[in-house]
């Protein structure tokens, strides 16, 4: 019989605690092509495949390594590679690592992702502060919290108002202004992938108020809120979403990786400047 969620989380967290004395304050999730940021973490690296009950990362360029240590003077736990629904994982599997990181002590989650730009003024390599999301998968019943609720993880019903914490967004804006970074903001539309969206779907998402679109982050944000973490999420625009049948551009994974290569240094600088504002002693 499958063990209860709380017990699986305890076993995974105990395994990680056995390999580090760091108690992470911030949980970092590094999106497509952005994982190399974790190499700057001074601490311990553990393969997902070694951690009890942890799903493995199968997406290209998602290494599947959990890092625990110091980054910019802050104790962090970082996922170098994440799980997606398109890999065949259930929404519950996708969020298990997030729940482990909460159990390890992380109070704040900083998530990053690669995304297609829907809003016309968004350009490739832009960083976008996610202020809200729209998830058709969730509205259609694919909520990662669906099923029996484990009270040791969080409450049955979770508010998603202010899910992308207003105070953390203000801190991110302040850090961007100080470092001269042009930080956009917008609403993230979640799709399961792996097929990219049709032009009709992009027009529909635009009409529904989405500024950028991607295949991750939303399940993790829901789980992070359920686990009591505050959330900040940054989308990186790796391609422009195609909304016209007359547009000959073929959206593809290569352009996503190429743009991620350009974005990584800018994101690293921003995350390094931001982290000290997110840690436990932050003001
Ligand atoms: N659509 C969905 N997911 C993505 C995209 C996109 O255009 N770009 C990067 N991830």
């Amino acid at each position: 019989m499958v063990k209860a969620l709380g017990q699986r989380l305890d076993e995974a967290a105990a395994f990680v605690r056995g390999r580090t004395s760091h108690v992470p304050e911030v949980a970092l999730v590094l999106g497509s092509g952005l994982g190399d940021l974790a190499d700057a973490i001074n601490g311990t690296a553990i393969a997902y495949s070694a951690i009890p009950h942890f799903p493995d990362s199968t997406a290209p360029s998602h290494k599947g390594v959990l890092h625990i240590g110091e980054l910019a003077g802050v104790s962090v736990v970082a996922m170098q590679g994440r799980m997606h629904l398109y890999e065949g994982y259930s929404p519950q599997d996708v969020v298990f690592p997030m729940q482990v990181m909460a159990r390890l002590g992380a109070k704040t989650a900083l998530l990053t992702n690669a995304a297609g730009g829907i809003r016309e003024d968004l350009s490739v390599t832009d960083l976008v502060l996610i202020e809200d999301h729209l998830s058709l998968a969730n509205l259609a019943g694919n909520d990662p919290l669906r099923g029996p609720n484990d009270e040791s993880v969080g409450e049955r019903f979770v508010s998603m108002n202010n899910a992308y914490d207003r105070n953390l967004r203000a801190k991110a804006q302040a850090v961007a202004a100080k470092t001269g970074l042009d930080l956009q903001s917008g609403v993230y539309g979640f799709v399961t992938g792996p097929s990219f969206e049709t032009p009709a779907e992009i027009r529909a998402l635009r009409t529904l108020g989405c500024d950028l679109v991607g295949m991750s982050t939303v399940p993790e944000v829901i789980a992070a809120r359920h686990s009591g973490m505050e959330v900040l999420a940054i989308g990186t625009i790796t391609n422009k979403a195609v909304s016209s049948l007359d547009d000959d551009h073929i959206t593809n994974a290569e352009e996503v990786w190429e743009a991620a290569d350009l974005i990584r240094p800018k994101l690293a600088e921003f995350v390094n400047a931001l982290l000290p504002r997110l840690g436990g002693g932050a003001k």
Side-chain angles (χ1 to χ4, degrees), residues 9 20 66 80 93 107 117 120 124 136 152 159 179 184 198 200 203 206 214 230-231 235-236 246 253 268:
L9 290 171
T20 177
L66 192 72
Q80 190 172 28
D93 288 335
K107 300 280 180 277
E120 288 296 345
V124 171
L136 295 173
S152 78
S159 172
T179 55
Q184 310 288 328
T198 63
R203 291 195 302 276
R206 179 181 287 150
E230 290 184 343
V231 170
T236 69
D246 297 327

Side-chain angles (χ1 to χ4, degrees), residues 32 113-117 188-189 191 193 195-197 202 213-216 236-242 251-252 255-256:
S32 293
N113 62 51
Y188 179 87
V191 293
S195 55
F196 286 109
E197 308 71 43
I202 291 299
V213 59
M215 304 175 189
S216 69
T236 69
I237 303 298
T238 52
N239 57 290
K240 280 201 155 241
V242 171
T251 307
N252 62 84
E255 65 180 329
V256 172

Side-chain angles (χ1 to χ4, degrees), residues 4-5 7 20-21 48 61 91 94 102 105-106 110 130-132 161 178 199 209 227 251 266 269:
L5 176 62
Q7 192 180 347
T20 177
S21 55
Y48 294 167
S61 107
V94 166
L110 172 55
I130 297 176
E131 51 189 19
D132 202 352
N161 297 337
K178 206 168 165 193
S227 297
T251 307
K266 179 156 82 162
E269 195 187 341

Side-chain angles (χ1 to χ4, degrees), residues 11-21 44 46 104:
E11 289 175 9
F15 180 88
V16 174
R17 277 198 205 99
R19 275 153 189 78
T20 177
S21 55
T44 307
I46 310 172
L104 289 170

